[in-house]
Amino acid sequence: MERRKIFFIIFSLIFLFKLSFAQDTSCNKYFLASYPDVIKVILDNKDQLNLSTTQNEAIEAAISQYEPMINERKKQIDDLENQLKDLILHGGDSAKIKSIILKLAQLKSENLVLKIKEIREIQNNLTESQYKKILSYLEGKSI
């Protein structure tokens, strides 16, 4: 039974570390999975999208609503990862290690959900043609 716990912990650590070192900028150590970086595309292509003042305000409002919550979790993730590293290097209690791994997964999942909500809120303020342009930018197609 103890071997199973150790195997679970090692497997979880490998999974978390693999996520932490992913090269994709939309999937970094603060999110459980990758996501299409719609917001970056919008911000990089504001002129081509012909966003109205109302749309710009809605985008800024969504970002200012969700980013502080995401950033708070990022701080917690950094703290927990430092604790985890210390426990791993200094023979920490396996129950404590497991607890930290589960908390990290929870925080990263919450961040992903917040990011998706942010993206959805922004999408709801775009016209169909603007959103089609964004999709084409994301897919690397010329318009």
Side-chain angles (χ1 to χ4, degrees):
M1 187 64 166
E2 191 64 28
R3 285 185 177 179
R4 286 185 182 164
K5 287 181 185 177
I6 293 171
F7 176 76
F8 171 77
I9 290 170
I10 291 171
F11 180 77
S12 297
L13 287 173
I14 291 169
F15 178 73
L16 284 173
F17 285 131
K18 184 175 180 181
L19 284 177
S20 295
F21 295 111
Q23 295 298 318
D24 184 5
T25 57
S26 64
C27 177
N28 60 37
K29 73 177 200 166
Y30 300 111
F31 299 93
L32 190 59
S34 64
Y35 59 90
D37 203 347
V38 173
I39 297 167
K40 182 180 181 340
V41 170
I42 291 171
L43 296 176
D44 289 348
N45 297 286
K46 272 187 170 184
D47 295 336
Q48 293 85 354
L49 294 171
N50 298 319
L51 299 171
S52 70
T53 304
T54 306
Q55 288 175 312
N56 278 317
E57 290 170 357
I59 291 167
E60 290 173 17
I63 291 170
S64 65
Q65 177 183 356
Y66 290 102
E67 287 303 316
M69 292 185 282
I70 291 170
N71 288 334
E72 180 57 38
R73 283 168 181 75
K74 286 179 178 182
K75 290 176 193 172
Q76 293 174 26
I77 289 167
D78 286 338
D79 291 342
L80 286 171
E81 286 183 343
N82 287 333
Q83 289 177 33
L84 181 61
K85 180 181 173 183
D86 187 57
L87 287 170
I88 292 169
L89 294 175
H90 298 101
D93 177 51
S94 63
K96 179 69 175 165
I97 290 172
K98 179 181 177 183
S99 171
I100 290 174
I101 291 170
L102 293 174
K103 184 63 179 175
L104 283 168
Q106 176 189 352
L107 290 169
K108 290 178 181 191
S109 296
E110 290 172 0
N111 262 0
L112 184 57
V113 168
L114 288 170
K115 183 56 78 173
I116 292 168
K117 286 181 178 182
E118 179 183 40
I119 291 169
R120 289 284 184 253
E121 192 167 317
I122 291 169
Q123 285 173 328
N124 291 335
N125 287 287
L126 299 171
T127 66
E128 186 177 341
S129 65
Q130 287 169 328
Y131 191 64
K132 284 182 180 179
K133 281 184 184 179
I134 291 166
L135 290 178
S136 70
Y137 293 142
L138 284 168
E139 295 168 354
K141 297 177 184 173
S142 60
I143 301 174

